[in-house]
Structures are given as structure tokens and as C-alpha cells.
Amino acid sequence: MPSTPSAASGAAAGATRRGRPGYDQQSVLTIAVDVFNKHGYEATSMGILAENLGITKSAIYHHVPSKGDLLRLALDNALDGLEAVLDDARASNGPADEQLEFVLRGTIQVLTERLPFVTLLLRLRGNTEIERDALARRREFDHRVAQLVDAARSEGSLRSDIDPRTTTRLLFGTINSIVEWYKPGGPISPEKLADDIILMVFHGLHSS
Amino acid sequence: MPSTPSAASGAAAGATRRGRPGYDQQSVLTIAVDVFNKHGYEATSMGILAENLGITKSAIYHHVPSKGDLLRLALDNALDGLEAVLDDARASNGPADEQLEFVLRGTIQVLTERLPFVTLLLRLRGNTEIERDALARRREFDHRVAQLVDAARSEGSLRSDIDPRTTTRLLFGTINSIVEWYKPGGPISPEKLADDIILMVFHGLHSS
């Protein structure tokens, strides 16, 4: 199992402080994503990145040809993870509400495991070709989840008094909001978080 | 009933296009908030604001002494609205779960009526004294809602298998996410949106 992005980030930051960078592309990427999230992609120059990595700009170019390539690699990391959830057989077999629950749990897992990468994806404005391509993939992911919501509703397992588009918006709103507060390695495990969210959105907070 | 910020913004933009500004402080503020939300507060200069308003920088200073004052007025607009919900008698009388529902509905109403102002509040980073003061008021609001969640849980009306802090996070995450997609004046009324959110978070999406 790969280490979480934030664990990798911590290790790399430690390496910087010890003055022994020894970066590979993945650790450059992990730190770059943290800097993009902190200052915004547009506002981050290769000079700022070099400063945060404790290496020279030309050393960064040894790993990636441009800032845009770092962005593309980071967004691919988030989107590949999300799309893999939909490509799993459990996302297209069985009752639609079970497929939907599988996809929501998988999405939560990707968010917690690749938190800084998904955070970057969720904050995109679409100012460049790379960003627009990523937003198109994100829309396609959202569209396929919306189809599952429709199917679960047609099956009669989801309530029909909420518009399916609103349902999809609220599901993503709830799940995506965890990037604002969830701390990987903190008191709540990713599995418990997924259980809590599934409980609330499908069964509600009121004690039955 | 006051017009929504976005309606006011539309009218002011129309005035700009017709070359008849005739701004008062409120319309300067409304446009400034839209510009802050689009470009970020830090990145917005008084020059950019003047360009968007179609007036000179000195004409802006006629309305407000500084960019910081515009930010403070905008954040007060959002926070005054949220705090008024808690100050209503219905937020502190009756069963705790009814108080909580009243406060969540009121919060959703403030979000939809003052959408750009609350959006600005939710995106704050806390880089200046004005931002830190606003974040402190926001934390106090969140804290009082968390107390209602605790009280409703103690009363036995909220499920006890989700940590109350997670419950509060998920409630705010769901509600605050509407600033990302809700269109005032669109097909979903603020009342229907509040009904939908209350249904999902308290009773769940599964058909019973």
C-alpha cells in the first residue's frame, strides 16, 4: 500500500531541513502540490517552488520540464484515483444503491489518501488548457455518479422528493467538504469517516 | 425584504455598462465582493476595483477609506446575518433538535440571500487583522452550533454513533458547499433548498 501523500510530504520536508534533498519526481510533486494549495497555482513561480524544495530552479527542471507538467501530474494523481473507483466492477454490478454506496465510499477513500491532490483539483478555476482538461474529466466523473443517483432513484431506493441533481450536488458537497478539515493520521480513520458520511447521507442524523 | 446581493450586483453592472455609475456605498461593496471572490482579496488592487466599477480610484475613496474597509463591511454583512439567526428566540427555546433545525434553516437562508458575502467569508485565509477578527466570529458561530448538536445528542434526538464534532463538520460542510453551485433566482427556491438539506441530513436519502 502506498504511503499517504501527506506522510510523503512530511518526510520530504524533513529531508529539506536536514539539507539532504535527494528528491525524486514524486517528492518534488508532493511538495509542489502543498505550495500550490497554499499560495494558489497561478501565484506560485518556479522560484517559489525552488525555495520551498531547498533546491535550485534548474534542479527542478531535472525532474519536470515545466510548472504546467507538475500541475498535470498532480491532477492526474487525483483523477486517476477517482476514475479507478468507477472502473471497479462493484461500481457497475448489483442494485444501483449498492453501486452508489461503493462509489461514494471509494471517493471518500481517494480524498483521504490523496488529500492535497484532490484539494488542488477542487480549487481549479480552469484558466489553462491543463486545468480545463482536468475539469472535463471531473465533470465526466460527476456525470457518472449522477447517473447512479438517477438509477437508484428509479429503483425506488432513494427518496423521490428531492431533485436528483440537487441530491448529487449535496452528496458531492458533503464529501468534498472533508478536504477543508480532515487530518490523515488523526483520530478519525478513513473507514470510520466513510461510515459516518454514508450513515448521515443515506439514513440521516436523527436517531431512529 | 432587501433585494439579494446578486440582484443588486446585476443592476449595478447594468449601470456601469450604461456609463451612469451613481453608486452608493452598498453597490460599491457588492461589486467589490464579486471582484474579491473572482480574483482573491489579496490580488485585488484599488486600481482593479476602479476598473470594474468604471470609476476612478479617488471616486472609490469617496465611499470607503480603504480596501480593508470594504473587506470589513463585506464580512460584517455575512457575519451579522449568521449571528442574527442565533439571536432569534427560536434558536434557544424548545427541544434542542428543533433549535438546531431552526439554526440550520436560518444559516441556509443567509447563505442564499447573501451568497457572495458568505462565499468571501468561507474563503478567508486570515492574513490580516480584519480577516482574523472575522474568523474568530465565525468560529464562535460554529461553536454555538456545535453546542446545539451536543444538546440534541444528549436529548437522544441525534444518533450517538457519530462523534458530535464530526456531525458538526459534516453539517457545515454540506450547507457551506451550496455556495459552490447554488444560483439565487434559479429553479430551486431557498425554502426548497433548506427543506432538501434538512431532509437529507436528518432523515437520509434512502426511501423509508
Side-chain angles (χ1 to χ4, degrees):
Chain A
M1 192 174 145
S3 63
T4 63
S6 81
S9 165
T16 310
R17 282 194 298 272
R18 290 193 304 271
R20 291 188 292 107
Y23 292 118
D24 55 15
Q25 192 190 60
Q26 190 59 37
S27 50
V28 167
L29 183 60
T30 300
I31 295 177
V33 168
D34 286 342
V35 179
F36 291 159
N37 281 333
K38 194 168 167 197
H39 300 288
Y41 172 71
E42 302 283 347
T44 304
S45 64
M46 283 300 240
I48 293 176
L49 275 184
E51 204 173 294
N52 276 273
L53 287 157
I55 60 180
T56 61
K57 278 202 269 186
S58 59
I60 301 182
Y61 290 118
H62 172 72
H63 296 291
V64 281
S66 71
K67 193 175 83 156
D69 287 279
L70 281 169
L71 180 65
R72 190 177 42 74
L73 287 167
L75 296 173
D76 279 347
N77 182 307
L79 287 161
D80 291 350
L82 292 171
E83 290 164 358
V85 175
L86 290 176
D87 292 341
D88 190 292
R90 286 166 287 182
S92 39
N93 290 300
D97 71 322
E98 287 177 20
Q99 292 177 36
L100 179 62
E101 180 172 330
F102 172 81
V103 169
L104 297 182
R105 283 185 185 276
T107 301
I108 295 163
Q109 191 182 343
V110 171
L111 258 72
T112 56
E113 284 179 358
R114 307 184 186 202
L115 200 70
F117 297 88
V118 181
T119 302
L120 187 66
L121 176 66
L122 293 176
R123 291 187 185 160
L124 280 194
R125 299 296 181 93
N127 295 325
T128 66
E129 194 65 26
I130 294 166
E131 291 170 82
R132 282 189 292 273
D133 286 348
L135 286 178
R137 284 172 71 185
R138 185 183 160 196
R139 274 195 302 276
E140 175 59 22
F141 178 84
D142 290 2
H143 177 66
R144 288 175 65 186
V145 176
Q147 288 176 320
L148 283 179
V149 167
D150 282 343
R153 206 162 172 267
S154 301
E155 273 185 8
S157 35
L158 290 194
R159 55 191 318 141
S160 57
D161 48 357
I162 303 181
D163 182 277
R165 282 164 303 183
T166 304
T167 302
T168 306
R169 296 279 200 184
L170 293 178
L171 285 173
F172 278 120
T174 306
I175 291 175
N176 293 342
S177 72
I178 66 181
V179 305
E180 302 295 334
W181 62 273
Y182 184 70
K183 300 274 177 271
I188 309 167
S189 71
E191 295 72 25
K192 171 66 174 144
L193 180 66
D195 287 344
D196 289 351
I197 292 176
I198 293 295
L199 263 182
M200 180 179 91
V201 299
F202 282 153
H203 306 286
L205 294 170
H206 267 184
S207 50
S208 43
Chain B
M1 189 175 146
S3 63
T4 64
S6 83
S9 166
T16 309
R17 281 195 299 273
R18 288 194 303 273
R20 292 188 290 108
Y23 291 118
D24 55 16
Q25 192 191 61
Q26 190 59 38
S27 50
V28 166
L29 182 61
T30 301
I31 295 176
V33 169
D34 286 342
V35 179
F36 290 160
N37 282 332
K38 194 168 169 196
H39 300 287
Y41 171 71
E42 302 283 347
T44 303
S45 65
M46 283 299 240
I48 293 176
L49 274 184
E51 204 174 293
N52 276 273
L53 287 157
I55 60 179
T56 61
K57 279 202 268 186
S58 59
I60 301 181
Y61 290 116
H62 171 73
H63 295 291
V64 281
S66 71
K67 194 175 81 155
D69 287 280
L70 281 169
L71 180 64
R72 189 177 43 72
L73 286 168
L75 296 172
D76 279 348
N77 181 308
L79 288 160
D80 290 350
L82 292 170
E83 290 164 357
V85 175
L86 290 176
D87 291 341
D88 189 292
R90 287 166 286 182
S92 39
N93 289 300
D97 71 323
E98 287 178 19
Q99 291 178 36
L100 180 62
E101 179 173 329
F102 172 79
V103 169
L104 297 181
R105 284 185 185 274
T107 301
I108 295 163
Q109 191 182 344
V110 170
L111 259 71
T112 56
E113 282 177 357
R114 307 184 185 200
L115 200 71
F117 297 88
V118 181
T119 302
L120 186 66
L121 175 67
L122 294 175
R123 292 186 186 160
L124 282 194
R125 299 297 180 92
N127 295 326
T128 64
E129 193 65 27
I130 294 167
E131 291 170 81
R132 283 190 291 273
D133 287 348
L135 287 177
R137 284 173 70 186
R138 184 182 161 196
R139 274 196 302 276
E140 174 60 23
F141 177 83
D142 291 2
H143 177 64
R144 289 176 65 186
V145 176
Q147 288 178 318
L148 283 179
V149 167
D150 282 343
R153 206 161 171 268
S154 301
E155 273 185 6
S157 36
L158 290 194
R159 55 190 320 140
S160 57
D161 48 358
I162 303 181
D163 183 277
R165 282 163 304 182
T166 304
T167 302
T168 306
R169 297 279 200 183
L170 292 177
L171 286 173
F172 278 120
T174 306
I175 290 175
N176 292 342
S177 71
I178 66 180
V179 305
E180 303 294 336
W181 63 273
Y182 184 70
K183 299 275 176 273
I188 309 166
S189 71
E191 294 73 25
K192 171 67 173 145
L193 180 67
D195 286 344
D196 289 352
I197 292 176
I198 293 296
L199 261 182
M200 182 180 90
V201 300
F202 281 153
H203 305 286
L205 294 170
H206 266 184
S207 49
S208 43

